[in-house]
């Protein structure tokens, strides 16, 4: 007799997201005022937050389990998601042709995928989550078709790249199953710990790493990123650059920590050239970009490279710092894209960097915010961007990778230039043409100020968040290996 | 007068001014200027209180404040002053104060941002001199780049953008190596605490690498000979206040860092590399001095003279004896005063004529007598005439170096002669000769320019005639330093 004890409380957040997403899809035809979806989204997020924090950890079948790790990451994602919804609302007020309920519904589905991925306990569930994370994003990129014909191209590029990633991943999983005879993370770990035959495994791991590299836009799989980023609606670009990558890093770290922890040092070494090249190429290509979104897209590639340095360190502390880096990066990105949305809502040309010249004259506060976020992205103290990089370098030195840290630091000098250039244009160039009149927007001001606050606060006092993440990892791992 | 947490107060007081200015509407420029001036003045007074409460005889750190900051890293919010840093704190606040005065009428656009940036600079500068935690030190060190980048880039001259980006990337590049060294130290010893690190020894090979890591950062800031090229550009294009801060404080950070970190933390490496640095210093002195001779731009000339003078400073520091080090510290203060004031003078005349070409001027002594007197005094101080502060500093440095390496002193002394040549020739070209007709109708010095220049002139003579109190400040700490060094 098959006795299935289905514990739905472990699935509460996911169920809420699913229901809210489905509701939006069902009723969207019948409601004229499309802003309703925004409120449904906010309600779903607040319920999700509530259930996330107040339901006990548990398993839903052996494939899905909420624990310290997944709950923490979901919590961080949910907070950032609220900000993202705010800026989406502001964006959709300007670009009305995109204002459909499905827009929010797709974001919800995508994040549902992220949550499934983070809670998954075996490679196939993780794969399902990963697909569910990506597929709605293909649609979301293509929604900008009304305004930008290139968006189809971007979506298609991402779609093709994503399909190849899925292929890689499945192939890797297949080989692992062939070698180990298991898919569950813990079983893989047990089998690997018994007899490590690295040679066969390395192909499988390379494939899985390749899949993640495509999704995280690491070199040499970064080609899709600038086109897709430039083509999508701005909030979706920030979503793609920040939250999606955050969730993917979370999942990658999860399998590194559990299944492949005997091999994590080798995997780290494998990643060294990838990370360094990603940083270098991302930084170099960002220099010449005149389109602000494209510049940020290349910089996003470089930042993914930095974040992966924590994985290079092959150390649990380094993993924590990767997550911290991505957390900071999420706020920097959402903040800067909120500014971009504000600027485009004033004047479409503002996405062209030279046309920003003399912006500080008409919009001093906005210019200052750009300055803050961009210095943070460049990694200059006393902003959070510096602290995040600093912790990563510490992790690298701790694992004896001095020269990797040195190279990454040197590349960060190159990486600073594109941001300095934008600041130069805004503050130091003479204004060309008229500076747009300022307009107020609460839904943009709130996320910008929150992000600015986080960026400054974590720059001066990063301890709470770092401790929070490190403790989560510590608790998670100790419960994993020594369950009570 | 006892003020609790005096160092934090000095460090963070400008923040109050920043917040106030932030909420003043940008149209009310006078209010902004007054708030900035008042903030800087109070901060300067506070730093004087610190100076007078300082205990000469005590070589260790005083007014110490220590609070756990990042416990994961064992990093502290750790402030303290000793004889090495004590003089730099009032110098920084004084320079900020005078910069606000000298920019009173000179800065006409983006006034609010300018004073915000200046006060932010003040925080970062004082923070560098006060922090005894390596991470904290690095953060202030780098944070200083942000306002300086803006000050040069926004309010600077025609080639300001090239200069400011060059300045930023140069110093950022240099600092990276220091950051790496700091992280390495943390990894080895698990602490950023300067006082704890003092007692630890490093393996010789590691010590040399760490020394080089720090040296690159400091050498770029000083700037020493092969990496000095950012300085003439940055100085030339910066607005007056920017040049004054650059000359007065920013390039002192390098010298200060050498005395504070290189000598005590890496004594063996310091001895090992001292010859190299002496040679580089002498090259800087002579090369930059010669470069001064064929400059046609006033500011550029003084900028190159800075490189030459800072060559003396590094020479004194790496003579590795108390006389030379004391001379170097005093010379840094002197150079801050004299060159800072020279840049103010150039700024004064530039505001009136908008030309920095030496050949544009001539005969200013007839139309501008008081100004000519000021400039004369500063010129003589820059040359190092006895009775001015420049003499004391250079004399001590040469004396200290003489004990170490006589040949270097001979070479460095030629630098003094070259210095006299270019400064006097400059003075002759600008102030004497036939008066140019278009220079006769210029407005005379205004109240704020007088107020900015007179304190500097007083200090020139004060240190020049009676340097003992200033040397007393550093005596005990430098003696302590020498104990560590041998």
């Amino acid at each position: 007799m098959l006795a299935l004890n289905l514990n739905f409380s472990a699935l509460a957040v996911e169920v809420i997201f699913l229901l809210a997403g489905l509701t939006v899809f069902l009723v969207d035809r019948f409601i004229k005022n499309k802003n309703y979806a925004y409120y449904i989204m906010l309600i779903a997020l607040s319920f999700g937050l509530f259930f996330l924090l107040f339901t006990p950890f548990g398993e839903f079948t052996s494939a899905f389990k909420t624990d310290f790790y997944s709950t923490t990451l979901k919590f961080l994602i949910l907070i950032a998601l609220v900000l993202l919804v705010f800026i989406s609302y502001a964006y959709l007020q300007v670009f009305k042709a995109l204002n459909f309920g499905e827009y929010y519904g797709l974001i919800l589905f995508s994040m549902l995928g992220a949550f499934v991925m983070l809670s998954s306990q075996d490679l196939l569930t993780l794969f399902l989550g990963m697909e569910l994370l990506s597929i709605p994003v293909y649609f979301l990129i293509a929604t900008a078709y009304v305004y930008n014909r290139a968006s189809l191209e971007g979506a298609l590029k991402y779609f093709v790249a994503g399909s190849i990633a899925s292929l890689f991943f499945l192939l890797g999983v297949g080989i692992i199953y062939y070698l180990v005879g298991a898919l569950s993370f813990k079983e893989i770990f047990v089998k690997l710990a018994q007899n490590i035959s690295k040679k066969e495994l390395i192909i499988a791991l390379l494939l899985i790493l390749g899949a993640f590299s495509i999704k995280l836009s690491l070199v040499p799989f970064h080609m899709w990123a600038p086109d897709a980023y430039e083509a999508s609606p701005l909030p979706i670009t920030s979503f793609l650059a920040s939250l999606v990558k955050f969730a993917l890093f979370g999942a990658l770290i999860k399998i590194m920590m559990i299944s492949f922890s005997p091999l994590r040092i080798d995997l780290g070494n494998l990643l060294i050239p990838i990370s360094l090249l990603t940083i270098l190429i991302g930084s170099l290509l960002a220099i010449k970009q005149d389109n602000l979104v494209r510049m940020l897209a290349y910089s996003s590639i470089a930042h993914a490279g930095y974040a992966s340095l924590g994985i290079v360190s092959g150390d649990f502390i380094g993993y924590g710092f990767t997550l911290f880096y991505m957390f900071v990066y999420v706020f920097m990105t959402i903040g800067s894209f909120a500014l971009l949305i504000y600027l485009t809502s004033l004047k479409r040309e503002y996405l062209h960097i030279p046309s920003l010249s003399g912006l500080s004259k008409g919009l001093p506060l906005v210019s200052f915010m750009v300055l803050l976020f961009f210095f943070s992205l460049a990694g200059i103290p006393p902003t959070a961007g510096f602290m995040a990089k600093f912790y990563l370098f510490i992790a690298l030195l701790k694992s004896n990778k001095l020269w990797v840290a040195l190279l990454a630091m040197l590349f960060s000098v190159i990486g600073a230039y594109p941001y300095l250039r934008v600041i130069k244009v805004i503050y130091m160039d003479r204004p060309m043409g008229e500076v747009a009149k300022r307009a107020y927007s609460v839904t943009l001001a709130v996320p910008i100020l929150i992000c600015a606050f986080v960026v400054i606060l974590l720059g001066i006092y990063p301890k709470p968040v770092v401790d929070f993440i490190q403790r989560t990892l510590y608790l998670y791992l100790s419960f994993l290996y020594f369950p009570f | 007068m006892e003020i609790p947490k005096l160092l934090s107060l000095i460090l963070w007081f400008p923040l109050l001014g920043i917040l106030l200015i932030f909420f003043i509407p940008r149209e009310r420029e006078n209010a902004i200027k007054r708030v900035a001036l008042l903030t800087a003045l109070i901060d300067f007074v506070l730093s004087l209180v610190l100076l007078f409460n300082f205990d000469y005889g005590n070589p260790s750190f005083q007014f110490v404040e220590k609070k756990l900051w990042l416990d994961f890293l064992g990093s502290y919010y750790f402030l303290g002053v000793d004889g090495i840093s004590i003089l730099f704190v009032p110098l920084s606040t004084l320079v900020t104060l005078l910069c606000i005065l000298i920019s009173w009428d000179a800065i006409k656009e983006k006034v609010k941002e300018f004073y915000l940036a200046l006060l932010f600079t003040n925080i970062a500068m004082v923070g560098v001199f006060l922090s005894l935690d390596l991470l904290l030190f690095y953060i202030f060190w780098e944070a200083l780049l942000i306002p300086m980048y803006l000050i040069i880039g926004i309010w600077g001259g025609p080639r300001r953008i090239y200069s400011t980006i060059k300045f930023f990337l140069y110093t950022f590049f240099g600092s990276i190596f220091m950051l790496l060294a700091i992280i390495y130290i943390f990894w080895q010893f698990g602490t950023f605490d300067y006082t704890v690190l003092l007692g630890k020894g490093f393996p010789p090979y590691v010590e040399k690498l760490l020394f080089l890591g720090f040296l690159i950062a400091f050498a770029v800031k000083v700037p020493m000979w092969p990496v000095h090229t950012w300085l003439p550009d940055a100085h030339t294009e910066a607005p007056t206040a920017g040049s004054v801060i650059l000359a007065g404080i920013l390039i002192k950070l390098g010298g200060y860092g050498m005395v504070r970190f290189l000598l005590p933390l890496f004594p063996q490496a310091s001895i090992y590399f001292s010859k190299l640095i002496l040679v580089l210093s002498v090259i800087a002195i002579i090369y930059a001095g010669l470069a001064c001779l064929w400059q046609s731009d006033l500011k550029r000339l003084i900028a190159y003279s800075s490189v030459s003078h800072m060559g003396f400073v590094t020479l004194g520091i790496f003579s590795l004896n108390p006389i030379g080090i004391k001379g170097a510290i005093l010379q840094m203060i002197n150079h801050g005063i004299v060159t800072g004031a020279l840049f103010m003078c150039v700024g004064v005349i530039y505001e009136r004529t908008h030309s920095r070409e030496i050949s544009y001027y001539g005969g200013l002594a007839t139309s501008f007598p008081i100004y000519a007197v000021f400039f004369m005094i500063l010129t003589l101080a820059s040359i190092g005439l006895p009775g001015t502060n420049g003499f004391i500093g250079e004399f001590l440095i040469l004396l200290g170096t003489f004990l170490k390496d006589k040949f270097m002193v001979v070479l460095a002394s030629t630098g003094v002669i070259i210095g006299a040549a270019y400064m006097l020739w400059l003075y002759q070209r600008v102030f004497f000769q036939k008066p140019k007709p278009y220079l006769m109708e210029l407005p005379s010095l205004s109240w704020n320019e007088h107020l900015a220049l007179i304190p500097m002139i007083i200090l020139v003579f004060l240190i020049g005639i009676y340097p003992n109190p200033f040397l007393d400040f550093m005596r005990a700490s430098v003696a302590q330093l020498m104990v560590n060094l041998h």
Side-chain angles (χ1 to χ4, degrees):
Chain A
M1 192 183 86
L2 187 68
L4 261 185
N5 182 16
L6 291 184
N7 172 12
F8 275 99
S9 74
L11 267 182
V13 190
E14 284 76 5
V15 169
I16 289 168
F17 272 30
L18 188 66
L19 287 180
L22 287 179
T23 315
V24 169
F25 274 84
L26 275 178
V27 302
D28 194 58
R29 292 291 288 166
F30 310 113
I31 300 181
K32 272 246 173 67
N33 184 358
K34 300 296 182 190
N35 290 340
Y36 78 96
Y38 166 70
Y39 297 106
I40 289 188
M41 183 90 176
L42 284 184
I43 293 167
L45 288 182
S46 33
F47 271 96
L49 208 55
F50 176 79
F51 279 105
L52 184 73
L53 295 178
F54 293 102
T55 49
F57 296 154
E59 282 188 332
F60 183 85
T61 75
S62 60
F64 186 98
K65 186 179 175 189
T66 50
D67 45 37
F68 278 112
Y69 184 74
S70 65
T71 305
T72 305
L73 290 199
K74 285 177 192 174
F75 175 69
L76 297 180
I77 288 179
L78 271 178
I79 293 173
L81 201 53
V82 175
L83 300 179
L84 187 87
V85 170
F86 280 150
I87 66 171
S88 295
Y89 178 78
Y91 183 80
L92 295 184
Q93 295 309 304
V94 182
F95 295 82
K96 286 211 166 61
L98 302 182
N99 196 358
F100 287 107
E102 283 95 339
Y103 175 93
Y104 295 107
L106 287 167
I107 290 183
L108 271 182
F109 279 150
S110 177
M111 280 297 105
L112 172 63
F115 284 11
V116 169
M117 190 169 72
L118 290 173
S119 293
S120 61
Q121 291 297 308
D122 63 44
L123 285 171
L124 272 185
T125 319
L126 187 123
F127 175 71
L128 281 182
M130 207 156 128
E131 288 300 286
L132 189 51
L133 173 69
S134 309
I135 291 173
V137 180
Y138 306 145
F139 287 107
L140 282 171
I141 295 174
T143 49
Y145 183 63
V146 197
Y147 292 104
N148 180 3
R149 291 293 153 117
S151 82
L152 268 192
E153 183 197 336
L156 198 66
K157 272 188 183 165
Y158 186 32
F159 173 67
V160 172
S163 314
I164 295 171
S166 310
L167 265 176
F168 277 12
F169 193 83
L170 279 179
L171 203 55
V173 172
I175 297 177
I176 284 178
Y177 188 71
Y178 168 73
L179 288 172
V180 184
L183 285 178
S184 143
F185 294 156
K186 275 181 118 172
E187 276 178 54
I188 294 175
F189 168 71
V190 172
K191 295 271 169 56
L192 282 185
Q194 279 163 1
N195 58 339
I196 306 174
S197 50
K198 285 182 189 172
K199 275 182 195 158
E200 293 91 343
L201 259 180
I202 220 79
I203 301 278
L205 290 178
L206 268 182
L207 285 168
I208 289 182
L209 264 188
F212 274 101
S213 314
I214 294 176
K215 299 262 177 184
L216 292 170
S217 71
L218 301 182
V219 171
F221 305 114
H222 64 287
M223 305 292 190
W224 61 269
D227 289 319
Y229 284 20
E230 194 186 357
S232 29
L234 287 175
I236 299 305
T237 315
S238 71
F239 177 66
L240 196 55
S242 60
L243 279 174
V244 171
K245 281 188 185 173
F246 184 66
L248 283 163
F249 266 115
L252 179 59
I253 284 171
K254 184 165 183 171
I255 58 171
M256 294 287 243
M257 278 195 309
I258 318 175
S259 333
F260 303 123
S261 68
L263 294 171
R264 60 177 195 277
I265 311 251
D266 306 82
L267 281 176
N269 291 337
L270 264 181
L271 261 179
I272 291 176
I274 298 181
S275 305
L276 287 179
L277 276 178
T278 307
I279 297 171
L280 181 64
I281 290 180
S283 309
L284 278 179
L285 292 182
I287 289 176
K288 269 289 168 193
Q289 303 306 323
D290 268 348
N291 184 310
L292 200 49
V293 183
R294 222 174 158 79
M295 192 280 272
L296 283 175
Y298 281 111
S299 94
S300 160
I301 294 173
H303 281 280
Y306 283 113
S308 64
L309 287 178
I311 298 175
V312 165
S313 75
D315 186 42
F316 292 130
I317 293 176
Y319 294 167
F321 292 151
T322 291
L323 291 177
F324 177 63
Y325 192 92
M326 283 315 289
F327 178 74
V328 170
Y329 179 65
V330 165
F331 279 91
M332 296 189 294
T333 312
I334 291 184
S336 12
F337 273 90
L339 287 167
L340 256 60
I341 292 170
Y342 180 74
L343 290 174
T344 38
S345 71
L346 294 181
K347 209 175 173 188
R348 295 288 152 82
E349 296 88 67
Y350 272 157
L351 290 188
H352 187 60
I353 292 176
S355 68
L356 284 171
S357 60
L359 189 76
S360 65
K361 218 158 188 139
L363 302 166
L365 200 60
V366 171
S367 309
F368 175 71
M369 288 294 166
V370 175
L371 179 91
L372 178 69
F373 287 123
F374 278 22
F375 269 123
S376 182
L377 284 167
I380 315 284
T383 55
F386 164 72
M387 274 297 170
K389 282 200 177 82
F390 181 75
Y391 278 110
L392 280 176
F393 295 148
I394 285 208
L396 280 179
L397 259 102
K398 273 201 158 142
S399 54
N400 263 330
K401 296 196 168 67
L402 182 81
W403 62 275
V404 181
L406 177 66
L407 283 177
M409 282 178 188
L410 289 180
F411 295 162
S412 80
V413 180
I414 304 174
Y417 179 78
Y419 306 114
L420 289 184
R421 176 169 168 246
V422 175
I423 294 167
K424 176 212 99 179
V425 170
I426 289 179
Y427 273 96
M428 302 168 196
D429 284 357
R430 301 264 168 262
M432 300 191 317
E434 263 180 44
V435 176
K437 278 243 162 57
R438 70 185 91 165
Y440 294 97
S441 159
V442 181
T443 44
L444 280 178
V446 170
I448 291 174
L449 289 178
I450 291 176
C451 291
F453 178 72
V454 170
V455 163
I456 293 177
L457 183 76
L458 292 187
I460 297 167
Y461 197 62
K463 183 169 135 4
V465 178
V466 172
D467 280 6
F468 179 54
I469 291 175
Q470 292 294 1
R471 278 197 192 127
T472 307
L473 287 189
Y474 176 75
L475 281 176
Y476 174 63
L477 287 170
S478 43
F479 272 91
L480 192 72
Y481 293 123
F482 313 103
F484 291 111
Chain B
M1 187 163 42
E2 281 292 316
I3 301 178
K5 296 201 181 293
L6 183 56
L7 295 187
S8 285
L9 193 63
I10 295 173
L11 178 57
W12 298 114
F13 188 77
L15 207 59
L16 187 70
I18 289 179
L19 285 177
L20 274 175
I21 292 177
F22 203 76
F23 289 109
I24 299 175
R26 58 183 53 251
E27 295 78 28
R28 302 183 56 191
E29 294 181 354
N30 271 327
I32 292 172
K33 287 177 195 166
R34 281 181 197 143
V35 169
L37 185 68
L38 196 66
T39 315
L41 187 64
I42 295 175
D43 207 33
F44 176 58
V45 172
L46 285 172
S47 60
L48 283 184
V49 172
L50 173 75
L51 196 65
F52 290 122
N53 279 327
F54 185 79
D55 175 13
Y56 287 20
N58 185 354
S60 55
F61 291 103
Q62 303 177 29
F63 303 95
V64 172
E65 288 171 37
K66 193 170 183 180
K67 262 211 164 66
L68 198 58
W69 173 39
L70 305 172
D71 60 356
F72 185 83
L73 299 175
S75 180
Y76 290 86
Y77 172 73
F78 187 10
L79 305 181
V81 283
D82 69 349
I84 295 169
S85 53
I86 179 74
L87 287 176
F88 289 102
V89 179
L91 183 69
S92 310
T93 49
L94 178 66
V95 164
T96 314
L97 179 65
L98 301 185
C99 280
I100 291 172
L101 276 176
I102 201 79
S103 322
W104 200 264
D105 297 320
I107 300 297
K108 293 192 182 67
E109 56 175 44
K110 298 202 180 105
V111 175
K112 185 169 168 177
E113 280 89 347
F114 182 78
Y115 290 99
L116 286 177
L118 262 183
L119 290 178
F120 190 80
T121 318
N122 189 6
I123 295 180
M125 290 189 304
V126 175
V128 170
F129 291 125
L130 292 184
S131 45
L132 295 176
D133 183 280
L134 289 180
L135 182 58
L136 197 65
F137 171 81
Y138 182 80
I139 287 180
F140 282 122
W141 174 275
E142 284 289 84
L144 188 51
L145 284 184
I146 301 177
M148 282 317 293
Y149 174 70
L150 296 176
I151 286 177
I152 300 174
I154 300 178
W155 296 277
R159 284 176 71 236
R160 61 192 193 281
I161 288 163
Y162 166 77
S163 310
T164 193
I165 288 186
K166 188 172 176 184
F167 157 73
F168 191 98
L169 291 182
Y170 245 96
T171 41
F172 192 39
F173 176 80
S175 313
I176 289 296
F177 292 95
M178 182 166 72
L179 179 62
L180 194 71
I182 290 175
I183 296 178
Y184 189 88
I185 289 175
F186 168 71
W187 172 54
Q188 284 288 312
F189 295 108
T191 180
F192 291 109
D193 188 331
Y194 174 76
T195 51
V196 174
L197 289 170
L198 272 182
K200 312 250 180 183
F202 298 91
Y205 175 66
V206 174
E207 187 182 335
K208 277 171 201 158
L209 282 182
L210 291 178
F211 179 92
L212 286 178
F214 275 88
L215 180 69
I216 292 172
F218 295 150
V220 170
K221 268 268 178 15
V222 165
M224 280 166 68
W225 165 60
V227 285
H228 67 281
T229 57
W230 64 269
L231 185 94
D233 285 314
H235 262 324
T236 311
E237 297 303 323
T240 307
S243 303
V244 175
I245 287 179
L246 274 173
I249 305 297
L250 196 120
I251 63 178
K252 304 300 171 300
L253 298 180
Y256 167 76
M258 286 178 179
V259 184
R260 165 67 76 228
F261 294 106
L262 289 186
L263 300 189
L265 289 182
F266 317 114
Q268 296 310 315
S270 301
I271 294 167
Y272 181 82
F273 284 110
S274 62
K275 199 85 185 176
L276 171 75
I277 294 174
L278 289 186
V279 172
L280 289 181
S281 309
V282 169
I283 294 176
I285 292 171
I286 296 174
Y287 170 85
L290 291 175
C292 283
L293 282 173
W294 49 271
Q295 296 304 321
S296 59
D297 182 315
L298 266 172
K299 267 185 149 180
R300 223 176 163 78
L301 193 150
I302 299 172
Y304 269 108
S305 83
S306 279
V307 178
S308 179
H309 286 265
M310 288 312 282
F312 277 104
V313 170
T314 47
L315 192 73
I317 293 171
F318 282 88
S319 70
L320 299 179
N321 60 50
I323 301 175
I325 294 173
K326 270 188 274 186
I329 298 173
L330 192 67
Q331 180 67 0
M332 280 194 262
I333 308 278
N334 293 340
H335 177 255
I337 294 165
V338 173
T339 311
L342 275 173
F343 274 117
M344 284 183 196
C345 282
V346 176
V348 164
I349 194 75
Y350 180 73
E351 281 314 311
R352 288 164 173 72
T353 61
H354 295 283
S355 172
R356 295 189 309 245
E357 287 296 311
I358 296 173
S359 55
Y360 179 86
Y361 296 101
L364 273 182
T366 44
S367 54
F368 248 150
I370 300 175
Y371 176 73
V373 172
F374 284 159
F375 207 102
M376 189 73 217
I377 293 166
L378 295 169
T379 303
L380 295 178
S382 174
I383 296 168
L385 197 79
T388 62
N389 59 357
F391 172 71
I392 310 288
E394 274 177 10
F395 180 72
L396 285 175
I397 289 172
L398 292 178
L399 193 62
T401 318
F402 193 77
L403 300 176
K404 177 159 174 90
D405 192 330
K406 297 182 180 56
F407 183 59
M408 292 295 169
V409 178
V410 175
L411 289 177
S413 305
T414 59
V416 181
I417 299 165
I418 299 171
Y422 63 73
M423 285 312 286
L424 289 177
W425 190 32
L426 170 75
Y427 196 81
Q428 186 254 333
R429 281 182 289 173
V430 173
F431 287 90
F432 300 142
Q433 291 183 339
K434 204 174 210 175
K436 300 257 166 87
Y438 47 82
L439 293 174
M440 299 307 287
E441 299 295 315
L442 297 174
S444 56
L445 292 184
S446 62
W447 63 272
N448 58 311
E449 286 158 352
H450 273 115
L451 269 183
L453 282 168
I454 287 171
M456 296 298 213
I457 303 291
I458 293 173
L459 279 172
V460 165
F461 286 120
L462 191 65
I463 301 179
I465 293 169
Y466 193 52
N468 273 354
F470 296 92
L471 291 171
D472 280 343
F473 276 115
M474 44 188 118
R475 181 160 296 139
S477 293
V478 171
Q480 173 85 12
L481 183 73
M482 296 318 293
V483 172
N484 288 335
L485 205 56
H486 292 298

